[in-house]
Amino acid sequence: MKRTTGQKSTAKPETGAYVPKSRALTVPPPGNPGKLLSGNEAIAQAAWEAGVHVACGYPGTPSTEILEALSRYPEISCEWSTNEKVALEIALGASFAGARALVSMKHVGLNVAADPFFSAAYTGVNGGLVVVSADDPGMHSSQNEQDNRLIAAAARVPVLEPSSSQEARDFVIAAFEISERYDIPVMLRTTTRISHGKAPVKVGQRNSIELKPYRKLPAKNILLPHVSRARHSGIEAAQIPGLRRESAQYIQIFEGTSHLTFVTSGPSYHYVREAFPDASVMKLGMVYPLPHSEIRAFVKGRQRVIVVEELEPFLEQRIAAMGIPVEGKNLLPRCGELSVDILRSALEPSRASHVSPSSSLPIALPPRPPVMCAGCSHRGTFYALKQLNAIVSGDVGCYTLGALAPLEAVDCSINMGASISMAHGMEKVLDEPERKRLVAVIGDSTFFHSGISGLIDVLYNGANTTTIILDNHTSAMTGHQAHPGSGETIGGEVAKRIDIPMLCKSLGIESVRISNPYDLLGTLRIIDEEQRREASSVIVADAPCALKARLKFDVPATINPNHCTHCFACTQLGCPAIEFENNHLQINPLLCIACGHCGQVCADCNAGLDVPLILELMHQK
């Protein structure tokens, strides 16, 4: 990396950066279909082209593949951070030091990073800084479907919203130019459809952006009250008006012949164009701040203007506040994703298909709820908790599936790292018998993300909380990404492995025990003993992710139909390898890893123990 010693770099993005007011959207020419990329891959490609030196984030659907793709570029220092707040602070530090930096996260991750995000708008940048927020309308893999355009507006941070993989590439390159031109971080807001949909993308070469000189700027980068007051005034007086003019460069207008007129952005644009190809459409690329004069000019004289957007009426409310009569959420849902049929049903019901995706199938498909993998070690811990009738304060990870039937062993799960803190709050209120049943359960990656602070609080305030850390040595839910306890980096290099039991002991937890979740009796006994302890304790359920480690303990288990009593005790484990076919239970050899859980609960298995006997032996010993 080279550092400039003079003025601000004047390097421009590759030809084809998206400035639709003066030229059309970059598209591959005939005969050159471009590179087939998902939106996430296009973002990574663009960051490399834009000369990014530092990229970081925390895995979370639908954003995960951005950093995974970026890690393949040797010119970029790329890493998984312990959480989104840390990731944004790393990126901001790199920006202060003169490098272009990108940070990626899913929408709820921005909640974790909100503190530095709001402050970064005041400090501004040195090297360009782009924050990618991947929202999840429809909650394909999320606990809510918040609209992060609202957070960006509250922070006074400009927002670019691509509607395709090509725009994802073009907008990232433009975002770095905007960031440096206006001295402010820029948000790129994507959604699940943009993140994961693939399309041909015209790409370019890496732009060699030299590091900008580092300067000590206490009147800019140290947010004491008198500094913040001046910085805030500057945002309102200069940056927002300038960005409003800038946003005019990211408009596309399609004049139609029908009486309908639409203002839209992002993936909603495609639904509009497919549902109403003859309508007039204004597509906004920068959705905050809005280009007021251009919107006024477009809607002037139009009979009916409809704003189409997913989730919140973000554009609708701001356009209405300009005194322009528009329709939007009075016609369209505020929850979930939009579709062509939803638009047609709302505006021209006679053209709607009124056919559900599955209604034309010859048979009704059975429901397919998510389930822990066959042989998952978490199953043993949750089975034990259910037998103990524990009150379980859960957390966010693939182990959240312990809440589903037949285990049904989780009482609550809110957000990353909340399990320990919520258990502490519950302990303050529950009666003595219920307090003894209370357990907090958290995964290893989530513990590093935001669970450690909750455990420290428990210790500091003298609580009596049993915490179970499910350590499967990876971030399993999001695709087996590395974390501080996995011993490797995002690129597969060997890294310092943070020892969870040692860390807990160093905090002052006197009882830190290791359980083998494949040993149901041993797991039951350890949990029962720690629940009875008159002090906070930690149990580390230590076993690798069966899927990632490709575990296979022995030959697959089998069920002898002549011996099976149809007590169905084994089905209470919720293992997908146990199936009911031809009026008897059987085990799918393609799924079974011979973990032994089912044998330990089978009443007729010579090597197993039935549930009442497990509890009886536990209390005897």
Side-chain angles (χ1 to χ4, degrees):
M1 291 186 285
K2 295 182 179 180
R3 187 181 297 277
T4 56
T5 55
Q7 299 299 312
K8 176 180 176 180
S9 170
T10 58
K12 300 295 182 183
E14 290 293 311
T15 300
Y18 184 62
V19 190
K21 190 175 183 181
S22 59
R23 59 178 179 266
L25 169 65
T26 305
V27 293
N32 178 14
K35 192 174 182 180
L36 188 64
L37 298 175
S38 69
N40 283 346
E41 291 168 333
I43 290 168
Q45 168 73 25
W48 175 77
E49 291 184 40
V52 165
H53 287 114
V54 176
C56 42
Y58 185 83
T61 304
S63 70
T64 304
E65 297 82 8
I66 297 171
L67 216 62
E68 290 179 333
L70 274 166
S71 69
R72 304 186 188 111
Y73 296 102
E75 300 91 342
I76 299 175
S77 175
C78 190
E79 63 184 56
W80 289 124
S81 304
T82 49
N83 63 36
E84 296 86 357
K85 176 180 182 291
V86 171
L88 181 49
E89 290 161 350
I90 293 169
L92 184 58
S95 169
F96 285 171
R100 285 186 168 184
L102 180 141
V103 57
S104 69
M105 61 198 70
K106 69 180 296 176
H107 61 292
V108 290
L110 191 61
N111 301 336
V112 179
D115 202 352
F117 183 70
F118 275 74
S119 295
Y122 281 25
T123 64
V125 302
N126 187 13
L129 175 60
V130 173
V131 179
V132 181
S133 169
D135 290 8
D136 190 17
M139 295 176 283
H140 296 277
S141 183
S142 305
Q143 62 265 47
N144 71 18
E145 52 179 357
Q146 70 189 47
D147 188 332
N148 278 356
R149 295 177 298 176
L150 294 168
I151 295 180
R156 313 301 272 170
V157 168
V159 183
L160 289 169
E161 187 174 19
S163 64
S164 65
S165 294
Q166 183 67 63
E167 284 191 349
R169 178 261 181 193
D170 295 345
F171 281 10
V172 168
I173 293 172
F176 280 105
E177 289 294 310
I178 293 170
S179 177
E180 292 172 353
R181 188 181 306 128
Y182 291 93
D183 189 20
I184 197 168
V186 176
M187 176 192 282
L188 185 85
R189 188 239 188 184
T190 67
T191 62
T192 303
R193 298 298 171 184
I194 301 302
S195 296
H196 293 163
K198 287 199 172 188
V201 176
K202 182 182 178 183
V203 300
Q205 297 301 312
R206 182 167 171 84
N207 208 343
S208 181
I209 303 295
E210 295 181 338
L211 295 176
K212 294 174 174 57
Y214 173 73
R215 294 178 295 165
K216 187 170 183 174
L217 298 170
K220 182 174 186 287
N221 296 336
I222 300 177
L223 293 184
L224 294 169
H226 72 280
V227 173
S228 297
R229 283 191 288 268
R231 295 295 297 175
H232 189 193
S233 297
I235 290 173
E236 302 302 330
Q239 284 176 312
I240 294 298
L243 288 164
R244 200 177 300 284
R245 292 188 294 271
E246 182 80 26
S247 65
Q249 303 298 311
Y250 298 88
I251 297 171
Q252 281 186 299
I253 292 176
F254 304 87
E255 289 294 348
T257 57
S258 79
H259 68 286
L260 292 175
T261 299
F262 293 94
V263 178
T264 186
S265 66
S268 300
Y269 157 75
H270 296 287
Y271 304 139
V272 170
R273 292 286 284 167
E274 183 173 345
F276 302 100
D278 297 326
S280 297
V281 180
M282 169 182 271
K283 183 171 79 67
L284 301 171
M286 182 181 285
V287 296
Y288 180 81
L290 290 178
H292 285 179
S293 59
E294 286 74 14
I295 293 174
R296 291 184 192 280
F298 173 71
V299 302
K300 186 176 181 180
R302 309 276 182 174
Q303 295 180 20
R304 189 181 186 193
V305 179
I306 303 162
V307 179
V308 179
E309 56 190 326
E310 289 179 324
L311 301 184
E312 297 302 309
F314 181 86
L315 301 175
E316 178 186 350
Q317 290 178 346
R318 282 158 178 76
I319 295 172
M322 295 164 56
I324 298 172
V326 293
E327 300 175 78
K329 294 305 177 184
N330 60 316
L331 302 169
L332 300 169
R334 195 166 185 162
C335 304
E337 294 182 299
L338 295 178
S339 69
V340 172
D341 206 53
I342 288 174
L343 290 182
R344 287 175 177 164
S345 297
L347 296 172
E348 294 184 5
S350 61
R351 294 182 59 222
S353 68
H354 301 296
V355 176
S356 66
S358 61
S359 63
S360 60
L361 296 175
I363 59 173
L365 294 178
R368 298 180 62 188
V371 64
M372 285 185 281
C373 301
C376 177
S377 63
H378 300 336
R379 182 173 285 107
T381 301
F382 283 117
Y383 183 83
L385 289 167
K386 182 176 183 179
Q387 302 312 311
L388 292 168
N389 194 27
I391 298 173
V392 178
S393 176
D395 224 296
V396 175
C398 54
Y399 48 88
T400 312
L401 297 173
L404 304 182
L407 291 170
E408 298 176 320
V410 179
D411 291 62
C412 54
S413 176
I414 305 300
N415 58 264
M416 297 279 286
S419 56
I420 303 174
S421 308
M422 287 195 301
H424 180 34
M426 295 168 76
E427 183 189 339
K428 293 175 176 292
V429 180
L430 295 176
D431 293 334
E432 179 65 22
E434 293 176 322
R435 279 202 301 272
K436 290 297 183 184
R437 295 164 49 209
L438 183 60
V439 172
V441 176
I442 190 170
D444 48 346
S445 182
T446 308
F447 179 69
F448 289 120
H449 177 281
S450 49
I452 296 173
S453 54
L455 188 61
I456 292 172
D457 189 81
V458 162
L459 279 167
Y460 172 65
N461 287 292
N464 179 12
T465 304
T466 301
T467 299
I468 301 177
I469 302 173
L470 304 174
D471 186 5
N472 63 1
H473 313 167
T474 187
S475 301
M477 181 177 67
T478 51
H480 303 127
Q481 289 79 25
H483 63 61
S486 64
E488 63 179 7
T489 67
I490 189 172
E493 299 90 355
V494 175
K496 177 68 176 178
R497 180 180 179 272
I498 307 301
D499 187 299
I500 292 177
M502 186 179 296
L503 174 61
C504 295
K505 290 177 182 177
S506 72
L507 294 176
I509 301 287
E510 295 181 3
S511 177
V512 179
R513 302 178 66 177
I514 311 296
S515 72
N516 174 9
Y518 290 111
D519 175 6
L520 295 183
L521 177 58
T523 299
L524 275 158
R525 185 182 296 121
I526 290 174
I527 296 174
D528 182 63
E529 289 172 358
E530 294 309 309
Q531 283 180 310
R532 297 169 187 270
R533 188 179 297 277
E534 294 297 331
S536 288
S537 62
V538 168
I539 302 168
V540 180
D542 190 358
C545 172
L547 189 62
K548 184 175 189 294
R550 300 182 181 274
L551 292 183
K552 201 82 170 180
F553 291 101
D554 206 336
V555 296
T558 59
I559 295 175
N560 187 331
N562 297 321
H563 292 173
C564 180
T565 64
H566 289 87
C567 68
F568 290 93
C570 60
T571 65
Q572 296 307 301
L573 289 162
C575 178
I578 302 174
E579 302 173 345
F580 190 75
E581 293 286 343
N582 301 321
N583 294 318
H584 67 82
L585 291 167
Q586 62 184 31
I587 295 177
N588 187 331
L590 299 177
L591 297 178
C592 178
I593 69 167
C595 69
H597 278 156
C598 58
Q600 295 176 64
V601 301
C602 176
D604 195 60
C605 181
N606 293 329
L609 299 168
D610 65 15
V611 175
L613 186 55
I614 288 178
L615 295 174
E616 181 181 338
L617 290 176
M618 181 187 70
H619 290 297
Q620 285 177 358
K621 298 181 180 182

